[in-house]
């Protein structure tokens, strides 16, 4: 693995860094308090090409490789995880799935709009009763002439109330478990689809997380993405790459925690000297720095494997598992460096901790990542 960035990768990282420092980080606290990021940021990210990374230019994408995607995601995560998540879902889970599995018509219909930020996508897998065990989802799609009629409820859907299209997973067959699951592209203005925003989240407050209720939602047969019964493969392949993007976002959180903690340690005086002089504070900083490097290297390895066409799925689980837990540790250690000031939201570290916490839960909890890694090591499924 070559650890030097190409000119193109370095340029896109710089672009993302400048954008985040200018247009994201300064507003993160305000958006967190208001429970809504400024929606205009989506269009700006489209113009900068961040929503089209890895998508072919013929569909409005900005091309680029997964390494560039990881670098941009890290920068966005450094600025505001709520903004990072919008991209990881709309591009990472939805547009990339359409590019990989969609028909020519579906690509033409959705990719130019998603990559420009004119439309937003959401990913509807989780249900109130099925989270980790997503293969046993119960939302049903029943064939009626040339249409499918879909009913069910989806829970915790990122971008849910903002999205124009949902990549929706529903049961079409009698086969038990994931074999009977198919995937559909459902415009969110389709009659019968209603959305309720979920408030009171611990973190990612600027993001629109929603419950989606589908009551006899009728879509044409052409709304199905990938062959019937292949929906779970669509979901799992999206999540495998998605885990790299979550891991990269976590590296961003960890880096932000390090920057904030080092800065504060050099300014805050206690016992007649800055707290940077105290060995136990240096220990906190050293622990954060180590986590940042380890998480970044694991994440870069996944990006490199994807770009080289090598198997990456288990490595993505390792990176996501480590980086998400590292982000929580880093934010928590940074809060310790800030003392009581870390506990109020005039300083950034409390938000970092709140935002980091969900990363160990979504796109497969830490326990699920361990089971995936364990299965790869032993050949035994312990789910
Ligand atoms: P459960 O699956 O009920 O798990 C509860 C606990 O049991 C966990 O600790 C889990 O690790 C453990 N557990 C479960 N099974 C096992 C097992 N076999 N062995 C050991 N331990 C186990 N979903 C989407 O589809 N789209 C989205 O955009 C999306 N965005 C989200 C945004 C937020 C802010 C949140 C909080 C969630 C989001 N989710 C989304 C849902 C998320 O992916 C699920 O919450 C997650 O998969 C866990 O499911 P659950 O909450 O039902 O927990």
């Amino acid at each position: 693995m070559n650890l030097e960035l190409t000119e193109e990768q370095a340029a896109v990282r710089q672009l993302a860094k400048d954008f985040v420092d200018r247009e994201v980080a300064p507003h993160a606290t305000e958006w967190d308090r208001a429970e809504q990021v400024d929606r205009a940021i989506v269009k700006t990210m489209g113009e900068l090409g961040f929503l089209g990374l890895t998508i072919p230019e013929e569909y409005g994408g900005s091309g680029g490789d997964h390494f560039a995607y990881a670098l941009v995601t890290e920068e966005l995560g450094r600025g505001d995880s709520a903004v990072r998540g919008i991209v990881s879902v709309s591009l990472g889970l939805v547009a990339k799935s359409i590019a990989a599995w969609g028909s020519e018509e579906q690509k033409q219909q959705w990719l130019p709009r998603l990559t420009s930020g004119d439309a937003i996508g959401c990913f509807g897998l989780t249900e109130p009763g099925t989270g980790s065990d997503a293969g046993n989802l119960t939302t049903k799609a029943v064939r009626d002439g040339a249409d499918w009629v879909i009913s069910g409820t989806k829970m915790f859907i990122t971008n849910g109330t903002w999205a124009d299209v949902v990549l929706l997973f529903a049961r079409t067959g009698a086969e038990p478990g994931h074999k009977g699951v198919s995937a559909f592209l459902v415009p969110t203005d389709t009659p019968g689809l209603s959305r309720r925003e979920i408030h009171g989240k611990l973190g990612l407050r600027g993001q629109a997380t929603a419950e989606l209720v589908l009551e006899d939602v009728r879509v044409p047969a052409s709304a199905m993405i990938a062959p019937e019964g292949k929906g779970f493969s669509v979901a799992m392949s999206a999540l495998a790459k998605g885990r790299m993007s979550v891991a990269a976002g976590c590296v961003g959180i960890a880096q932000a925690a390090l920057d904030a903690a080092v800065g504060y340690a050099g300014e805050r005086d206690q016992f007649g000297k800055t707290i940077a002089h105290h060995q136990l504070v240096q220990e906190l900083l050293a622990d954060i720095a180590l986590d940042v490097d380890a998480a970044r290297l694991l994440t870069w390895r996944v990006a490199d494997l994807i770009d080289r066409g090598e198997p990456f799925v288990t490595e993505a689980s390792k990176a996501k598992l480590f980086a998400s837990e590292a982000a929580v540790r880093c934010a928590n250690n940074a809060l310790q460096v800030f003392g009581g000031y870390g506990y109020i939201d005039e300083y950034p570290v409390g938000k970092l901790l709140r935002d980091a916490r969900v990363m160990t839960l979504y796109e497969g909890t830490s326990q699920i990542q361990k089971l995936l890694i364990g299965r790869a090591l032993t050949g035994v499924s312990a789910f």
Side-chain angles (χ1 to χ4, degrees):
M1 180 176 158
N2 182 0
L3 288 175
E4 248 175 55
L5 302 187
T6 64
E7 244 176 64
E8 195 187 339
Q9 289 163 349
V12 81
R13 176 160 77 170
Q14 194 57 49
L15 186 70
K17 243 186 210 317
D18 294 344
F19 165 73
V20 164
D21 288 339
R22 198 180 56 241
E23 294 187 49
V24 178
H27 303 289
T29 300
E30 161 201 336
W31 292 339
D32 186 63
R33 286 177 181 162
E35 288 199 30
Q36 187 159 348
V37 309
D38 179 359
R39 196 175 170 148
I41 204 88
V42 178
K43 188 77 191 134
T44 311
M45 290 193 290
E47 282 159 10
L48 289 168
F50 298 161
L51 287 165
L53 284 163
T54 76
I55 304 290
E57 287 168 22
E58 59 183 302
Y59 300 114
S62 41
D65 51 22
H66 282 80
F67 216 104
Y69 176 41
L71 295 169
V72 169
T73 317
E74 177 186 329
E75 286 306 319
L76 296 176
R78 184 175 62 79
D80 187 353
S81 292
V83 173
R84 193 276 303 161
I86 294 170
V87 176
S88 289
V89 173
S90 195
L91 163 62
L93 298 183
V94 180
K96 282 165 69 60
S97 295
I98 297 172
W101 298 85
S103 65
E104 187 55 32
E105 188 191 338
Q106 289 166 338
K107 290 181 193 175
Q108 299 283 358
Q109 183 184 0
W110 289 111
L111 290 180
R113 294 181 61 203
L114 290 168
T115 54
S116 62
D118 286 338
I120 296 176
C122 69
F123 184 82
L125 180 64
T126 303
E127 299 181 351
T130 55
S132 301
D133 189 15
N136 274 316
L137 59 82
T138 59
T139 293
K140 255 199 163 56
V142 177
R143 192 73 197 235
D144 182 23
D147 299 336
W148 288 97
V149 180
I150 311 175
S151 297
T153 303
K154 295 291 172 180
M155 191 62 182
F156 295 133
I157 306 305
T158 301
N159 296 344
T161 46
W162 281 18
D164 301 278
V165 61
V166 50
L167 175 56
L168 186 95
F169 300 91
R171 187 163 296 287
T172 50
E175 300 93 330
H178 61 81
K179 287 199 179 109
V181 173
S182 299
F184 298 87
L185 288 168
V186 182
T188 50
D189 59 1
T190 311
L193 197 164
S194 57
R195 304 181 269 180
R196 176 183 69 84
E197 186 151 342
I198 299 167
H199 290 284
K201 297 197 300 283
L202 180 66
L204 299 185
R205 289 189 183 156
Q207 217 171 61
T209 309
E211 179 186 48
L212 310 186
V213 178
L214 297 98
E215 288 169 307
D216 294 330
V217 172
R218 184 173 285 273
V219 292
S222 60
M224 185 181 278
I225 179 169
E228 189 176 342
K230 284 275 170 221
F232 203 65
S233 301
V234 175
M236 290 304 110
S237 65
L239 290 173
K241 284 186 181 162
R243 285 173 190 141
M244 182 208 77
S245 147
V246 174
C250 290
V251 177
I253 293 177
Q255 181 67 56
L258 180 63
D259 295 344
V262 170
Y264 190 76
E267 287 164 10
R268 175 76 173 166
D269 280 329
Q270 289 298 299
F271 298 94
K273 50 196 171 189
T274 66
I275 59 171
H277 286 81
H278 302 304
Q279 289 183 350
L280 294 180
V281 172
Q282 288 200 6
E283 183 188 40
L284 289 168
L285 299 178
D287 286 347
I288 301 173
L290 185 61
D291 267 338
V292 171
D293 280 1
R296 183 177 285 128
L297 285 168
L298 284 169
T299 304
W300 282 12
R301 179 174 67 166
V302 181
D304 184 59
L305 288 171
I306 298 175
D307 285 336
R308 284 193 289 112
E310 302 280 339
F312 67 92
V313 173
T314 306
E315 273 57 42
S317 282
K318 291 180 194 165
K320 193 268 184 185
L321 170 62
F322 184 85
S324 60
E325 304 226 328
V328 174
R329 274 194 304 274
C330 291
N332 198 37
N333 282 336
L335 199 153
Q336 198 67 19
V337 172
F338 273 73
Y341 295 94
Y343 204 66
I344 56 175
D345 77 354
E346 276 161 46
Y347 294 86
V349 288
K351 175 178 182 298
L352 293 176
L353 180 58
R354 289 188 287 103
D355 287 348
R357 193 60 186 80
V358 77
M359 312 296 169
T360 71
L361 300 174
Y362 66 19
E363 300 209 17
T365 64
S366 290
Q367 287 73 29
I368 294 301
Q369 304 309 328
K370 286 177 186 172
L371 293 179
L372 291 169
I373 297 164
R375 187 176 64 185
L377 289 170
T378 62
V380 178
S381 173
F383 284 91

